[in-house]
Amino acid sequence: MAIAVTPPRGMRDFLPADKAVRERSLGIIRESFRAHGFDEIETPVMEDSARLHSGLGGDNEKLAFAVLKRGLSAADVAAAVEQDDLLSLADLGLRFDLTVPLARFYATHRAALPTVFRSIQIAPVWRAERPQKGRYRQFMQCDIDIIGEAGALAEIELITATAATLDQLGLTGCSIRINDRRILSALLAHWSVPSELTERALIVIDKLDKIGVDGVATELGTLGIGAPDLAALLTELGTGGWALGESAPDWLDPEAFADLTALRAALPGVDLAFDPTLVRGMGYYTGTIFEISHPDLGYSLGGGGRYDGMIGRFLGTDVPACGFSIGFERIVDLLQADAASAQQAVVLVHEKDADPAGLVALKRDLVAGGLRVRLERRTKNLKALLDRAGEAGYGRFAFVTADTRAAGDLDFKPLGA
C-alpha cells in the first residue's frame, strides 16, 4: 500500500525557487527593520499552555496546538474527559503568534533591555486553522514592536518602518487603514450595545471583508444590535474616510480622532486611510489599530496596533506596547524572483567523463569570483535540464568541454534564450 507523501494539511513544502524568493524577501524585511533601529530576538516555538490560554490571544487561543504532558495514563485521559477539560492534559503549546511570547520575553529580560525596546521577530507560528488560500496552519510572521513608549512616536516609527519595507520589497499601491479602539467603543455605545455584547459585536464587524455589510448587519441583528438602515450606515462609515471628522458625528470620539489626525500629519509620505469599521480581531488591542490594504486584494497584508495592557499581566505593572506585523505568506505570493541574483547563479554542463578535479577547480574559481555555481551532467534531454535550472533561479549556463582550461574559457549563455 502506498504511503501518503503530502505534507500535513495546511502546511507546505517549498521547492528551491520558492525557497529562494522567500529567503530573499525575509532578508529585505530583516535589513529594513534593522535600518530603522529595531533589534532581532528569538523565542521558543512553545510556551506554557496556561500562558497561551490566559486571555491574551483573543480568538487565536482557540486555535492553539496543544502538546500533551509526558507519561499520561488512561486514567488521566478518562478524568479529563469526565471533567470536560481536555486542555488539562497539556502543559505546553505551539505559539499561535509572536506577541504573547514577546510579552513573556520582555517580562523575563526587562532588566537587560533598554527603557524603550524595539524588537524584531521573524519566525513561524502555528494555528489550527481551516486551511484555505492565504491561510495556513504553519506560517511565517514578521513582527516589529516597541515596548515602553506611551506616546505617538511608537505608532509613527512602526508605520514608517513598515511602509519603507513594503517599498523595498517592490510592493506598490498599498495603503494603511487606521482606527482606534476608543472610536469603536464609542460607536457601539451610540448603538446602545450592552457591555456584555461588545466583544461579540466587534467580532461580527470584523467579518466585513468576508460576509459584507448585509451579512454583518444581519448577524448584529440576531444579537439584538441594530440601527435604522444599518447596512447603509456601515457602508457609509467604511467609505467616509477622513471627511467623517468634518461632520463630527456624535459617536466619533474627538480625542481619539485628533490623535489619528496627528498621526496622519506626521506621516506625509504614507497613504493613511481612516476607517472606523476597522476592528482587528485580537482582544488585546487597547488604542490605535492599523492594517495594510492593497486595491487588488480583498484581504489585508498585515496589521497591528497598541496593546498597553498585555505585558502588565506578566509584570504586575502596566508597560505601553505597540506592534506591526507583515503578513509574509500573503505578501510573498506577490513577489517575483530576483533577476539580478539569477544572473549571478550559473550552471556548468559537463560530459559524463569530465575530470572531477577539473570541474571542482572551475567551480572554485567561479565561486571565489562571487558566483553561485551548480554542476550538471549533460543529458539527452538538455532542454529539460536547463528548464529545471531556470526554474530553480539560475540565470546563465556554459558547457564545459575538453578544451576548457580555466574559468575565462567558459562561454556563458542566458537560460531561456
Side-chain angles (χ1 to χ4, degrees), residues 21 49 96 125 141-142 159 163 170 190 193 196 240 252 256 263 284 305 309 360 368 374:
V21 173
S49 180
F96 50 73
V125 300
Q141 282 196 334
C142 303
I159 294 173
H190 179 71
V193 176
E196 63 271 17
L252 186 60
L263 276 179
Y284 50 64
V360 172
R374 173 188 284 185

Side-chain angles (χ1 to χ4, degrees), residues 15-20 341-351 359-360 362-364 366-367 370-378 382-400 410 412 415:
L15 292 169
D18 298 324
K19 181 65 172 174
S341 295
Q343 291 306 301
Q344 294 299 106
V346 300
V347 178
L348 300 184
V349 182
H350 61 88
E351 298 298 334
L359 289 173
V360 172
L362 280 174
K363 180 178 180 179
R364 183 171 55 245
L366 293 172
V367 169
L371 296 181
R372 176 185 176 210
V373 185
R374 173 188 284 185
L375 297 175
E376 288 282 5
R377 180 182 298 172
R378 184 163 186 164
L382 180 62
K383 183 179 183 304
L385 183 153
L386 297 178
D387 285 346
R388 284 194 300 271
E391 291 169 359
Y394 290 82
R396 295 182 294 157
F397 77 100
F399 293 111
V400 178
L410 295 168
F412 284 104
L415 278 165

Side-chain angles (χ1 to χ4, degrees), residues 18 38 44 56 61 68 80 90-91 116 136 141-142 148-149 159 178 237 276 306 321 328 337 343 361 363 395:
D18 298 324
F38 293 81
L56 297 176
E61 293 190 4
L68 295 178
D91 56 354
V116 176
Y136 306 101
Q141 282 196 334
C142 303
E149 174 56 62
I159 294 173
I178 193 166
L237 292 178
R306 182 166 284 279
F328 180 74
Q343 291 306 301
K363 180 178 180 179

Side-chain angles (χ1 to χ4, degrees), residues 106-146:
Y106 183 82
T108 302
H109 301 284
R110 185 182 187 184
L113 298 173
T115 304
V116 176
F117 178 50
R118 295 167 175 83
S119 77
I120 304 169
Q121 285 191 94
I122 298 178
V125 300
W126 294 265
R127 294 179 192 169
E129 295 272 13
R130 180 178 298 171
Q132 53 188 288
K133 182 176 175 56
R135 193 176 292 271
Y136 306 101
R137 289 178 173 174
Q138 176 179 319
F139 55 96
M140 190 72 69
Q141 282 196 334
C142 303
D143 288 14
I144 46 174
D145 294 81
I146 298 179

Side-chain angles (χ1 to χ4, degrees), residues 136-197:
Y136 306 101
R137 289 178 173 174
Q138 176 179 319
F139 55 96
M140 190 72 69
Q141 282 196 334
C142 303
D143 288 14
I144 46 174
D145 294 81
I146 298 179
I147 300 175
E149 174 56 62
L153 178 61
E155 283 90 337
I156 294 169
E157 282 198 84
L158 289 165
I159 294 173
T160 298
T162 300
T165 301
L166 295 175
D167 286 342
Q168 291 196 33
L169 287 168
L171 288 175
T172 59
C174 292
S175 63
I176 296 177
R177 297 163 62 210
I178 193 166
N179 195 16
D180 193 296
R181 277 297 178 109
R182 291 173 292 174
I183 290 175
L184 282 167
S185 297
L187 178 61
L188 295 181
H190 179 71
W191 287 346
S192 302
V193 176
S195 58
E196 63 271 17
L197 291 179

Side-chain angles (χ1 to χ4, degrees), residues 207-209 211-218 230-236:
K207 298 179 182 178
L208 272 169
D209 61 339
I211 62 177
V213 291
D214 291 329
V216 167
T218 300
L230 183 56
L233 179 58
L234 286 168
T235 300
E236 179 184 348

